[in-house]
Amino acid sequence: MTKTSSSSRNNAPRQLRNLGVIAHVDAGKTTTTERILFYTGESHRIGEVHDGTAQMDFDPQEQQRGITINSAAVTVHWKDTQLNLIDTPGHIDFNIEVNRSLRVLDGAVVVFDGVAGVEPQTETNWRLADKYRVPRIAFINKLDRVGADFHRVVAMMEERLGVRVVPLQIPIGAEVDFRGVVDLLSLRAHIWDKDDASAPYREADVPTDLLEQAVRSRARLVEAAVEQDEAALQAYVNGEEIAVDMLRAAIRKGVLAGAFVPALAGSAFKNRGVEPLLDAVVDYLPSPDDIVREGSDRPATAADPFAALAFKVVTDDHGAKVFVRVYSGRLGRGDVVLNTSTGKTERVSRLYEVHADQHIEHDELVAGDIAAVVGLKDTLTGHTLSDPGHPVVLEQISVPEPVIHVAIEPKASADQQGLSKALQSLLREDPSLRLQHDAESGQTILSGMGELQLEVSIEKLRARHGVNVSVGRPQVAYRETISRSVEVHHVHKKQSGGPGQFAEVKLRLEPLPRGEGIRFESRIVGGAVPREFIPAVEAGIRRAALAGVVAGFPAVDFAATLVDGSFHERDSSTLAFELAAMAAFREGFAKAAPQVLEPVMAVEVITPAEYLGDSIGDLNRRRGIVRGQGQRGTAATVEAEVPLKEMFGYIGSLRALSSGRAQYSMQLDHYGVVPAGEMAALVP
């Protein structure tokens, strides 16, 4: 649905917050977002994840599965402040959505499960937010659940995330008796007498049994806050009472500086704690004016040359919409922009403010806006758009390497052309997907971050593009590497009438630590190999590495050094040196004690205590190594490292052995050497 707003943006300062809501799957993130829509007046009814009516989960697969798959944007208003809000997925398979959202957001609300506390995906998202220097506030949710403990979650945050947490509230009541919070700034109680979202909280005196604790907690809050502001600190040292407004300003400074993370309490499902959370977003998270532009010490403004980052592409029946964050300047309908990532210019046809699956058309975007642009044909995730007269390249969005792949082919030959077009559309939308063609088998290989991501992508082929495909069994993305250093000498010489081919190379191959990739260096002196042929040597090595040596898997984590060589005045060429390097690499790799690497996943299982032994036994049978056990509320937890190959179909086994009561999450931890017993099945 599209609405139109013809008014252009004026130059008046805007109160604006660009923020994301991030969390581990099932922490209540989308439920919290749905409450925000209701309280801000964007929605007149509350959508629920469990019955498929959540407005932010408008994709049919999201409604069917009860999870967020795509990051969804919405613009709302709270107390004269515009909030551009992005609800992100919690499942690790769709972590690219969190990654690219955090790259363009100014602040984030991190939702924690009041029972589970800091979960694995929360840690991953937290590290991403650290990478992009995104200020955060914490919302400790589900405090109405059995086993919920606000103070335990605060302690877990400090221990696991290495962050200083400053509670702004303490809960009133626990578990089913949770009914409100004590606001530590005002030392007043906020009580929700009903679960009804339309009934506002009432203010009251702090309950007598909590007064002493509240006073102590407020003192710690004041100590943390005044450290951030010289005037507040001076007043504190002089024994003066710090005004609430001064405290808020000091807390804001601490949040923007990353000195601490404020924590709030609530139960989004029971409609308790959302209004104070919105107040905290306005009071403490940064506006675009607080964010300095890259390479500068001042914020970018609408008066500066235009620059924006494309962070998401969505295709539908009407073409492609590119979601952008405008960092500086203005962008108008019909403008021509330079894509500095490709060097091409593109023309903007339409601009939209996004409200989940609804859109409001605008004539212009200005610095700070997050919106959708139509008309950009060659722009992909991570590309920079700028004023053609003032080109600039913004920091890219990092995309993780895939760890799993499936072979797909159309069920009918008539679908072949449609499949190719549909796959290109999927790749444009999701940069964490990879596509390659296996020349030997003739198969099309689709790679991604997990089984669920691939399953969702294949369902999109059918439902959105009308292409039915046959899908092979999921395969692990293995890698090859070496474990010792070697030197190898190879001469490529060919004479068959006409011009000959000659190239001589001497290579040194050395192992590198995991995750280092491929390094190439030339140590040629005296022109033994002319400079123009050295790039061909590197290209040959990389080409051979991509094809693999031992079992046909890409080779990684090695350094290749060109130490010597020779050439022929007439018969040497870039092709000859590339072929020589390929042959030398294969020969040297085979002599360097090659190994096959497999992705090893960090797995966390949460299970009722009576199934703990069976769960551990099942992980052991999957070549798992148990790293730790713990307690989370009434449930037991197991942390283990398990090869991805052994995790296919795990959810079915776990449900069977726990009567459907256990759950798990996993994410890539590292690449490990495949045991000798497993190698036989991989090496032809």
Short mmCIF file of all heavy atoms in Angstrom, two decimals, residues 598 600-608 611-630 636-655 657-658 662-667 678:
data_model
loop_
_atom_site.label_atom_id
_atom_site.label_comp_id
_atom_site.label_asym_id
_atom_site.label_seq_id
_atom_site.Cartn_x
_atom_site.Cartn_y
_atom_site.Cartn_z
N GLU A 598 36.64 -28.57 8.52
CA GLU A 598 35.18 -28.56 8.53
C GLU A 598 34.68 -27.48 9.48
O GLU A 598 35.33 -27.18 10.49
CB GLU A 598 34.63 -29.92 8.96
CG GLU A 598 34.99 -30.34 10.37
CD GLU A 598 34.43 -31.71 10.75
OE1 GLU A 598 33.54 -32.21 10.04
OE2 GLU A 598 34.90 -32.27 11.76
N VAL A 600 32.89 -26.01 12.52
CA VAL A 600 32.50 -26.52 13.83
C VAL A 600 31.61 -25.47 14.48
O VAL A 600 31.96 -24.29 14.54
CB VAL A 600 33.74 -26.81 14.71
CG1 VAL A 600 33.30 -27.29 16.10
CG2 VAL A 600 34.63 -27.85 14.04
N MET A 601 30.45 -25.89 14.95
CA MET A 601 29.45 -24.97 15.46
C MET A 601 29.48 -24.90 16.99
O MET A 601 29.71 -25.91 17.67
CB MET A 601 28.05 -25.41 15.02
CG MET A 601 27.94 -25.77 13.54
SD MET A 601 28.45 -24.45 12.42
CE MET A 601 27.03 -23.36 12.56
N ALA A 602 29.25 -23.70 17.51
CA ALA A 602 29.01 -23.53 18.95
C ALA A 602 27.52 -23.78 19.17
O ALA A 602 26.68 -23.05 18.65
CB ALA A 602 29.40 -22.14 19.40
N VAL A 603 27.20 -24.82 19.91
CA VAL A 603 25.81 -25.25 20.11
C VAL A 603 25.43 -25.05 21.57
O VAL A 603 26.20 -25.41 22.47
CB VAL A 603 25.63 -26.74 19.72
CG1 VAL A 603 24.20 -27.20 19.96
CG2 VAL A 603 26.02 -26.95 18.27
N GLU A 604 24.26 -24.47 21.80
CA GLU A 604 23.72 -24.37 23.16
C GLU A 604 22.37 -25.08 23.19
O GLU A 604 21.49 -24.78 22.39
CB GLU A 604 23.55 -22.93 23.60
CG GLU A 604 23.04 -22.85 25.05
CD GLU A 604 22.76 -21.43 25.52
OE1 GLU A 604 21.84 -20.81 24.98
OE2 GLU A 604 23.46 -20.98 26.44
N VAL A 605 22.23 -26.04 24.08
CA VAL A 605 20.99 -26.79 24.27
C VAL A 605 20.37 -26.38 25.60
O VAL A 605 21.08 -26.31 26.62
CB VAL A 605 21.24 -28.31 24.25
CG1 VAL A 605 19.93 -29.08 24.49
CG2 VAL A 605 21.87 -28.74 22.93
N ILE A 606 19.09 -26.05 25.57
CA ILE A 606 18.35 -25.74 26.80
C ILE A 606 17.29 -26.82 26.96
O ILE A 606 16.43 -26.99 26.08
CB ILE A 606 17.69 -24.35 26.71
CG1 ILE A 606 18.75 -23.28 26.43
CG2 ILE A 606 16.95 -24.02 28.00
CD1 ILE A 606 18.19 -21.90 26.17
N THR A 607 17.36 -27.56 28.05
CA THR A 607 16.50 -28.73 28.21
C THR A 607 16.02 -28.88 29.65
O THR A 607 16.74 -28.49 30.59
CB THR A 607 17.27 -30.01 27.78
OG1 THR A 607 16.45 -31.15 28.03
CG2 THR A 607 18.57 -30.16 28.55
N PRO A 608 14.84 -29.43 29.86
CA PRO A 608 14.45 -29.81 31.23
C PRO A 608 15.50 -30.75 31.80
O PRO A 608 16.08 -31.58 31.08
CB PRO A 608 13.11 -30.52 31.02
CG PRO A 608 12.56 -29.94 29.76
CD PRO A 608 13.75 -29.68 28.89
N TYR A 611 16.11 -34.51 30.97
CA TYR A 611 16.62 -34.96 29.66
C TYR A 611 18.07 -34.56 29.45
O TYR A 611 18.60 -34.73 28.34
CB TYR A 611 15.76 -34.36 28.54
CG TYR A 611 14.29 -34.69 28.67
CD1 TYR A 611 13.36 -33.69 28.93
CD2 TYR A 611 13.83 -35.99 28.52
CE1 TYR A 611 12.01 -33.98 29.05
CE2 TYR A 611 12.48 -36.30 28.64
CZ TYR A 611 11.58 -35.28 28.91
OH TYR A 611 10.24 -35.58 29.04
N LEU A 612 18.72 -34.06 30.49
CA LEU A 612 20.09 -33.57 30.35
C LEU A 612 21.04 -34.68 29.90
O LEU A 612 21.82 -34.50 28.95
CB LEU A 612 20.57 -32.96 31.67
CG LEU A 612 22.02 -32.46 31.69
CD1 LEU A 612 22.22 -31.34 30.67
CD2 LEU A 612 22.40 -31.97 33.09
N GLY A 613 20.98 -35.83 30.55
CA GLY A 613 21.88 -36.94 30.21
C GLY A 613 21.70 -37.40 28.78
O GLY A 613 22.68 -37.63 28.05
N ASP A 614 20.45 -37.53 28.35
CA ASP A 614 20.19 -37.96 26.97
C ASP A 614 20.69 -36.92 25.97
O ASP A 614 21.22 -37.28 24.91
CB ASP A 614 18.69 -38.18 26.77
CG ASP A 614 18.18 -39.40 27.51
OD1 ASP A 614 19.01 -40.26 27.88
OD2 ASP A 614 16.96 -39.50 27.74
N SER A 615 20.54 -35.64 26.31
CA SER A 615 20.99 -34.58 25.41
C SER A 615 22.51 -34.61 25.24
O SER A 615 23.03 -34.48 24.13
CB SER A 615 20.54 -33.21 25.93
OG SER A 615 19.14 -33.13 26.00
N ILE A 616 23.21 -34.79 26.35
CA ILE A 616 24.68 -34.85 26.29
C ILE A 616 25.12 -36.08 25.52
O ILE A 616 26.04 -36.02 24.68
CB ILE A 616 25.28 -34.84 27.71
CG1 ILE A 616 25.04 -33.46 28.37
CG2 ILE A 616 26.76 -35.17 27.67
CD1 ILE A 616 25.48 -33.39 29.81
N GLY A 617 24.48 -37.22 25.78
CA GLY A 617 24.82 -38.45 25.06
C GLY A 617 24.64 -38.29 23.56
O GLY A 617 25.47 -38.75 22.76
N ASP A 618 23.57 -37.61 23.15
CA ASP A 618 23.30 -37.39 21.73
C ASP A 618 24.37 -36.49 21.11
O ASP A 618 24.83 -36.74 19.99
CB ASP A 618 21.91 -36.78 21.56
CG ASP A 618 21.50 -36.69 20.10
OD1 ASP A 618 21.58 -37.71 19.40
OD2 ASP A 618 21.13 -35.59 19.66
N LEU A 619 24.80 -35.45 21.84
CA LEU A 619 25.86 -34.57 21.34
C LEU A 619 27.18 -35.34 21.20
O LEU A 619 27.92 -35.15 20.23
CB LEU A 619 26.04 -33.37 22.27
CG LEU A 619 24.90 -32.35 22.28
CD1 LEU A 619 25.12 -31.33 23.40
CD2 LEU A 619 24.78 -31.63 20.94
N ASN A 620 27.47 -36.20 22.16
CA ASN A 620 28.70 -37.00 22.08
C ASN A 620 28.70 -37.91 20.85
O ASN A 620 29.73 -38.09 20.19
CB ASN A 620 28.87 -37.84 23.34
CG ASN A 620 29.24 -37.00 24.56
OD1 ASN A 620 29.78 -35.91 24.41
ND2 ASN A 620 28.93 -37.48 25.74
N ARG A 621 27.53 -38.48 20.55
CA ARG A 621 27.43 -39.36 19.36
C ARG A 621 27.64 -38.57 18.08
O ARG A 621 27.96 -39.15 17.03
CB ARG A 621 26.07 -40.06 19.35
CG ARG A 621 25.95 -41.21 20.33
CD ARG A 621 24.68 -42.01 20.10
NE ARG A 621 23.48 -41.25 20.43
CZ ARG A 621 22.96 -41.16 21.65
NH1 ARG A 621 23.56 -41.77 22.66
NH2 ARG A 621 21.87 -40.46 21.87
N ARG A 622 27.47 -37.27 18.14
CA ARG A 622 27.65 -36.40 16.97
C ARG A 622 29.05 -35.79 16.93
O ARG A 622 29.26 -34.74 16.33
CB ARG A 622 26.58 -35.31 16.98
CG ARG A 622 25.17 -35.85 16.84
CD ARG A 622 24.12 -34.75 17.06
NE ARG A 622 22.78 -35.30 17.03
CZ ARG A 622 22.04 -35.46 15.92
NH1 ARG A 622 22.53 -35.07 14.76
NH2 ARG A 622 20.84 -35.99 15.97
N ARG A 623 29.99 -36.42 17.57
CA ARG A 623 31.38 -35.92 17.67
C ARG A 623 31.45 -34.58 18.40
O ARG A 623 32.35 -33.77 18.17
CB ARG A 623 32.02 -35.78 16.29
CG ARG A 623 32.25 -37.10 15.57
CD ARG A 623 33.21 -36.94 14.41
NE ARG A 623 32.57 -36.34 13.25
CZ ARG A 623 33.09 -35.35 12.56
NH1 ARG A 623 34.24 -34.80 12.92
NH2 ARG A 623 32.46 -34.87 11.50
N GLY A 624 30.48 -34.34 19.27
CA GLY A 624 30.46 -33.09 20.01
C GLY A 624 31.39 -33.12 21.21
O GLY A 624 31.64 -34.17 21.80
N ILE A 625 31.91 -31.95 21.56
CA ILE A 625 32.72 -31.79 22.78
C ILE A 625 31.98 -30.84 23.70
O ILE A 625 31.76 -29.67 23.36
CB ILE A 625 34.11 -31.22 22.44
CG1 ILE A 625 34.87 -32.17 21.50
CG2 ILE A 625 34.91 -30.98 23.72
CD1 ILE A 625 36.18 -31.60 20.99
N VAL A 626 31.56 -31.32 24.85
CA VAL A 626 30.82 -30.49 25.80
C VAL A 626 31.79 -29.56 26.51
O VAL A 626 32.78 -30.00 27.10
CB VAL A 626 30.05 -31.37 26.82
CG1 VAL A 626 29.40 -30.49 27.89
CG2 VAL A 626 29.00 -32.20 26.10
N ARG A 627 31.52 -28.25 26.42
CA ARG A 627 32.41 -27.25 27.01
C ARG A 627 31.90 -26.74 28.36
O ARG A 627 32.67 -26.13 29.11
CB ARG A 627 32.56 -26.07 26.05
CG ARG A 627 33.23 -26.40 24.73
CD ARG A 627 34.64 -26.91 24.94
NE ARG A 627 35.37 -27.04 23.70
CZ ARG A 627 36.52 -27.69 23.60
NH1 ARG A 627 37.06 -28.26 24.67
NH2 ARG A 627 37.15 -27.78 22.44
N GLY A 628 30.64 -26.94 28.65
CA GLY A 628 30.13 -26.44 29.92
C GLY A 628 28.66 -26.78 30.10
O GLY A 628 27.93 -27.06 29.16
N GLN A 629 28.24 -26.77 31.37
CA GLN A 629 26.84 -26.99 31.73
C GLN A 629 26.43 -25.89 32.70
O GLN A 629 27.27 -25.32 33.40
CB GLN A 629 26.65 -28.35 32.38
CG GLN A 629 26.97 -29.54 31.49
CD GLN A 629 26.77 -30.86 32.23
OE1 GLN A 629 25.78 -31.05 32.93
NE2 GLN A 629 27.72 -31.76 32.07
N GLY A 630 25.15 -25.59 32.73
CA GLY A 630 24.67 -24.55 33.63
C GLY A 630 23.20 -24.70 33.89
O GLY A 630 22.54 -25.66 33.48
N ALA A 636 18.15 -26.86 32.36
CA ALA A 636 19.59 -27.09 32.31
C ALA A 636 20.11 -26.64 30.94
O ALA A 636 19.39 -26.71 29.94
CB ALA A 636 19.89 -28.57 32.52
N THR A 637 21.34 -26.17 30.91
CA THR A 637 21.95 -25.76 29.65
C THR A 637 23.22 -26.55 29.39
O THR A 637 23.93 -26.93 30.33
CB THR A 637 22.30 -24.26 29.64
OG1 THR A 637 23.28 -24.00 30.67
CG2 THR A 637 21.06 -23.41 29.89
N VAL A 638 23.47 -26.81 28.13
CA VAL A 638 24.70 -27.49 27.71
C VAL A 638 25.33 -26.67 26.60
O VAL A 638 24.66 -26.31 25.64
CB VAL A 638 24.42 -28.92 27.19
CG1 VAL A 638 25.73 -29.61 26.82
CG2 VAL A 638 23.64 -29.73 28.18
N GLU A 639 26.61 -26.36 26.74
CA GLU A 639 27.35 -25.68 25.69
C GLU A 639 28.35 -26.66 25.10
O GLU A 639 29.11 -27.29 25.84
CB GLU A 639 28.07 -24.44 26.24
CG GLU A 639 27.11 -23.36 26.72
CD GLU A 639 27.83 -22.17 27.32
OE1 GLU A 639 29.09 -22.17 27.29
OE2 GLU A 639 27.16 -21.25 27.81
N ALA A 640 28.33 -26.79 23.78
CA ALA A 640 29.19 -27.78 23.13
C ALA A 640 29.68 -27.26 21.79
O ALA A 640 29.12 -26.31 21.22
CB ALA A 640 28.43 -29.09 22.94
N GLU A 641 30.74 -27.90 21.29
CA GLU A 641 31.23 -27.66 19.94
C GLU A 641 30.98 -28.93 19.14
O GLU A 641 31.40 -30.01 19.54
CB GLU A 641 32.72 -27.32 19.94
CG GLU A 641 33.04 -25.99 20.60
CD GLU A 641 34.54 -25.72 20.67
OE1 GLU A 641 35.32 -26.57 20.16
OE2 GLU A 641 34.93 -24.69 21.23
N VAL A 642 30.26 -28.78 18.02
CA VAL A 642 29.86 -29.95 17.23
C VAL A 642 30.10 -29.65 15.75
O VAL A 642 29.72 -28.58 15.27
CB VAL A 642 28.36 -30.29 17.44
CG1 VAL A 642 28.03 -31.64 16.81
CG2 VAL A 642 28.00 -30.29 18.92
N PRO A 643 30.70 -30.59 15.00
CA PRO A 643 30.86 -30.37 13.56
C PRO A 643 29.51 -30.19 12.89
O PRO A 643 28.54 -30.89 13.20
CB PRO A 643 31.54 -31.67 13.08
CG PRO A 643 32.23 -32.20 14.29
CD PRO A 643 31.35 -31.84 15.45
N LEU A 644 29.44 -29.24 11.96
CA LEU A 644 28.18 -28.95 11.28
C LEU A 644 27.62 -30.19 10.59
O LEU A 644 26.40 -30.41 10.57
CB LEU A 644 28.40 -27.83 10.25
CG LEU A 644 27.21 -27.50 9.34
CD1 LEU A 644 26.02 -27.01 10.15
CD2 LEU A 644 27.60 -26.47 8.29
N LYS A 645 28.47 -31.01 10.04
CA LYS A 645 28.03 -32.23 9.33
C LYS A 645 27.13 -33.09 10.21
O LYS A 645 26.20 -33.74 9.73
CB LYS A 645 29.26 -33.02 8.89
CG LYS A 645 28.95 -34.39 8.28
CD LYS A 645 30.23 -35.09 7.87
CE LYS A 645 29.94 -36.46 7.25
NZ LYS A 645 29.48 -37.43 8.26
N GLU A 646 27.41 -33.09 11.52
CA GLU A 646 26.67 -33.96 12.43
C GLU A 646 25.38 -33.32 12.94
O GLU A 646 24.62 -33.95 13.68
CB GLU A 646 27.55 -34.33 13.64
CG GLU A 646 28.92 -34.87 13.28
CD GLU A 646 28.86 -36.16 12.50
OE1 GLU A 646 27.83 -36.87 12.59
OE2 GLU A 646 29.83 -36.48 11.77
N MET A 647 25.13 -32.05 12.56
CA MET A 647 23.97 -31.34 13.09
C MET A 647 22.77 -31.35 12.15
O MET A 647 21.71 -30.84 12.50
CB MET A 647 24.34 -29.89 13.42
CG MET A 647 25.30 -29.75 14.59
SD MET A 647 24.65 -30.42 16.13
CE MET A 647 23.34 -29.24 16.49
N PHE A 648 22.93 -31.94 10.97
CA PHE A 648 21.79 -32.01 10.06
C PHE A 648 20.67 -32.84 10.70
O PHE A 648 20.91 -33.95 11.18
CB PHE A 648 22.19 -32.62 8.72
CG PHE A 648 23.13 -31.76 7.92
CD1 PHE A 648 24.05 -32.33 7.05
CD2 PHE A 648 23.09 -30.39 8.01
CE1 PHE A 648 24.92 -31.55 6.30
CE2 PHE A 648 23.95 -29.59 7.28
CZ PHE A 648 24.87 -30.17 6.42
N GLY A 649 19.47 -32.31 10.69
CA GLY A 649 18.33 -33.03 11.27
C GLY A 649 18.32 -33.08 12.78
O GLY A 649 17.53 -33.83 13.37
N TYR A 650 19.16 -32.27 13.43
CA TYR A 650 19.28 -32.36 14.88
C TYR A 650 18.00 -31.98 15.61
O TYR A 650 17.65 -32.57 16.63
CB TYR A 650 20.43 -31.46 15.36
CG TYR A 650 20.62 -31.44 16.86
CD1 TYR A 650 20.95 -32.59 17.55
CD2 TYR A 650 20.46 -30.26 17.59
CE1 TYR A 650 21.12 -32.58 18.93
CE2 TYR A 650 20.62 -30.23 18.96
CZ TYR A 650 20.96 -31.39 19.62
OH TYR A 650 21.11 -31.37 20.98
N ILE A 651 17.27 -31.00 15.08
CA ILE A 651 16.08 -30.53 15.79
C ILE A 651 15.07 -31.66 15.98
O ILE A 651 14.44 -31.78 17.03
CB ILE A 651 15.42 -29.32 15.07
CG1 ILE A 651 14.26 -28.76 15.88
CG2 ILE A 651 14.97 -29.70 13.68
CD1 ILE A 651 14.64 -28.22 17.23
N GLY A 652 14.95 -32.53 14.98
CA GLY A 652 14.03 -33.66 15.11
C GLY A 652 14.45 -34.62 16.20
O GLY A 652 13.62 -35.09 17.00
N SER A 653 15.75 -34.93 16.27
CA SER A 653 16.27 -35.83 17.31
C SER A 653 16.09 -35.24 18.69
O SER A 653 15.70 -35.93 19.63
CB SER A 653 17.76 -36.12 17.06
OG SER A 653 17.94 -36.74 15.81
N LEU A 654 16.38 -33.93 18.82
CA LEU A 654 16.28 -33.29 20.12
C LEU A 654 14.83 -33.28 20.61
O LEU A 654 14.56 -33.54 21.80
CB LEU A 654 16.82 -31.86 20.04
CG LEU A 654 16.86 -31.07 21.36
CD1 LEU A 654 17.81 -31.74 22.35
CD2 LEU A 654 17.29 -29.62 21.11
N ARG A 655 13.92 -33.00 19.72
CA ARG A 655 12.51 -33.00 20.11
C ARG A 655 12.06 -34.39 20.53
O ARG A 655 11.30 -34.56 21.48
CB ARG A 655 11.64 -32.50 18.94
CG ARG A 655 11.71 -31.00 18.75
CD ARG A 655 10.98 -30.57 17.49
NE ARG A 655 11.00 -29.13 17.33
CZ ARG A 655 10.76 -28.51 16.18
NH1 ARG A 655 10.50 -29.22 15.09
NH2 ARG A 655 10.80 -27.18 16.12
N LEU A 657 13.89 -36.89 21.80
CA LEU A 657 14.44 -37.37 23.07
C LEU A 657 13.98 -36.55 24.28
O LEU A 657 14.15 -36.96 25.42
CB LEU A 657 15.97 -37.42 23.01
CG LEU A 657 16.80 -36.14 22.93
CD1 LEU A 657 17.03 -35.51 24.28
CD2 LEU A 657 18.15 -36.43 22.27
N SER A 658 13.37 -35.37 24.02
CA SER A 658 12.92 -34.51 25.13
C SER A 658 11.42 -34.30 25.15
O SER A 658 10.93 -33.38 25.80
CB SER A 658 13.62 -33.15 25.04
OG SER A 658 13.17 -32.44 23.89
N ALA A 662 12.86 -29.54 24.68
CA ALA A 662 14.19 -28.93 24.62
C ALA A 662 14.30 -28.07 23.36
O ALA A 662 13.57 -28.26 22.39
CB ALA A 662 15.28 -29.99 24.62
N GLN A 663 15.22 -27.12 23.38
CA GLN A 663 15.49 -26.28 22.22
C GLN A 663 16.99 -26.06 22.13
O GLN A 663 17.74 -26.32 23.08
CB GLN A 663 14.76 -24.95 22.34
CG GLN A 663 15.11 -24.17 23.59
CD GLN A 663 14.37 -22.86 23.68
OE1 GLN A 663 14.46 -22.03 22.80
NE2 GLN A 663 13.63 -22.65 24.77
N TYR A 664 17.42 -25.56 20.96
CA TYR A 664 18.86 -25.32 20.81
C TYR A 664 19.09 -24.14 19.87
O TYR A 664 18.20 -23.72 19.13
CB TYR A 664 19.56 -26.56 20.26
CG TYR A 664 19.50 -26.70 18.75
CD1 TYR A 664 20.61 -26.41 17.97
CD2 TYR A 664 18.33 -27.12 18.11
CE1 TYR A 664 20.55 -26.53 16.58
CE2 TYR A 664 18.28 -27.24 16.74
CZ TYR A 664 19.39 -26.94 15.98
OH TYR A 664 19.33 -27.05 14.61
N SER A 665 20.30 -23.61 19.92
CA SER A 665 20.74 -22.60 18.96
C SER A 665 22.19 -22.91 18.63
O SER A 665 22.90 -23.54 19.42
CB SER A 665 20.62 -21.19 19.54
OG SER A 665 21.47 -21.05 20.66
N MET A 666 22.61 -22.51 17.45
CA MET A 666 24.01 -22.74 17.08
C MET A 666 24.49 -21.66 16.14
O MET A 666 23.70 -21.02 15.45
CB MET A 666 24.20 -24.13 16.45
CG MET A 666 23.63 -24.31 15.06
SD MET A 666 24.04 -25.95 14.39
CE MET A 666 23.35 -25.81 12.75
N GLN A 667 25.79 -21.46 16.13
CA GLN A 667 26.43 -20.52 15.22
C GLN A 667 27.85 -20.99 14.95
O GLN A 667 28.42 -21.76 15.72
CB GLN A 667 26.42 -19.11 15.78
CG GLN A 667 27.06 -18.96 17.13
CD GLN A 667 26.74 -17.60 17.74
OE1 GLN A 667 26.29 -16.70 17.08
NE2 GLN A 667 26.99 -17.46 19.03
N GLU A 678 37.27 -39.66 9.31
CA GLU A 678 36.26 -39.04 8.46
C GLU A 678 36.82 -38.66 7.09
O GLU A 678 36.07 -38.42 6.15
CB GLU A 678 35.72 -37.77 9.13
CG GLU A 678 35.06 -37.99 10.48
CD GLU A 678 33.71 -38.69 10.35
OE1 GLU A 678 33.00 -38.41 9.37
OE2 GLU A 678 33.38 -39.51 11.22
#
